[in-house]
Amino acid sequence: CIGVPATGRSREIRTVPGVFSNIVPLRVQLTTTDTVSELIKKTAVKVRQGYRHTRYPLSRIVSDRRRVGLSQPFNVIVNYETFTYDLDFLHAKGRIHSLNPGPASDLTLMISDWQGEGSVEIRLDYNSDLYAKQEVKNHLSRFIHFLNRLPEKLKNLKDVI
């Protein structure tokens, strides 16, 4: 089970300025015979189902689980952000900088799509009490290897969409 950031806004507060976010669990059952296409389909269904529960706060999920003797709902958080560089405030130009989201309770995979530059940044933040630096580098290397091989596995992408 991984955590996926989602908006924490209800209809009542959609017009209120500020950051209202939550992390919802995403649990996808995989088998050793699943293809990449099947993985994408299963994940898309689970994401849609998970977004129905975005107003159930993570803090409450954690406390509810602790009450019945369970651990954290997930170890890995995956966050995809997309940015454009076209920040123009009248005659003042701006530039976006992605900051550290805070301490990681376990692993946090950050994928930042810098559309203005055409580049993608992949970062893996981790809890140093749980992981050695080399172990995290190995995880990140395997993930990047997976991403590099993904296009050949998705030759029939129209079947997925």
Side-chain angles (χ1 to χ4, degrees):
C1 185
I2 63 173
V4 180
T7 181
R9 291 181 178 269
S10 64
R11 285 190 180 115
E12 296 81 29
I13 62 170
R14 283 204 176 128
T15 59
V16 176
V19 178
F20 298 90
S21 64
N22 193 18
I23 299 175
V24 294
L26 175 65
R27 186 180 310 270
V28 179
Q29 296 291 333
L30 303 177
T31 68
T32 56
T33 59
D34 282 345
T35 65
V36 173
S37 297
E38 290 167 336
L39 169 65
I40 291 171
K41 287 177 187 177
K42 286 180 178 183
T43 302
V45 167
K46 292 297 184 177
V47 166
R48 283 191 296 275
Q49 290 172 352
Y51 282 152
R52 294 182 192 141
H53 306 286
T54 59
R55 292 189 338 208
Y56 186 44
L58 176 60
S59 59
R60 190 157 163 219
I61 293 172
V62 171
S63 65
D64 288 350
R65 288 178 61 85
R66 283 186 183 148
R67 199 175 1 240
V68 294
L70 298 173
S71 62
Q72 295 281 350
F74 36 78
N75 296 339
V76 178
I77 295 173
V78 177
N79 192 4
Y80 173 78
E81 304 170 312
T82 182
F83 300 101
T84 60
Y85 278 107
D86 299 333
L87 294 179
D88 190 356
F89 302 98
L90 215 42
H91 299 292
K93 300 285 183 192
R95 181 165 173 81
I96 295 175
H97 295 277
S98 179
L99 303 175
N100 188 331
S105 61
D106 203 309
L107 290 172
T108 302
L109 178 65
M110 300 288 295
I111 304 169
S112 301
D113 184 356
W114 300 96
Q115 293 182 358
E117 291 182 350
S119 64
V120 174
E121 175 187 357
I122 299 173
R123 187 174 75 227
L124 190 57
D125 295 329
Y126 63 99
N127 182 334
S128 59
D129 291 336
L130 301 174
Y131 298 95
K133 191 173 188 173
Q134 188 58 49
E135 187 179 7
V136 174
K137 284 183 177 181
N138 292 343
H139 285 320
L140 188 57
S141 177
R142 284 190 296 274
F143 182 70
I144 291 171
H145 176 75
F146 166 77
L147 290 178
N148 286 332
R149 294 202 53 215
L150 196 55
E152 72 187 52
K153 300 289 184 186
L154 294 176
K155 288 180 181 171
N156 295 325
L157 186 58
K158 65 179 186 269
D159 297 337
V160 175
I161 300 177

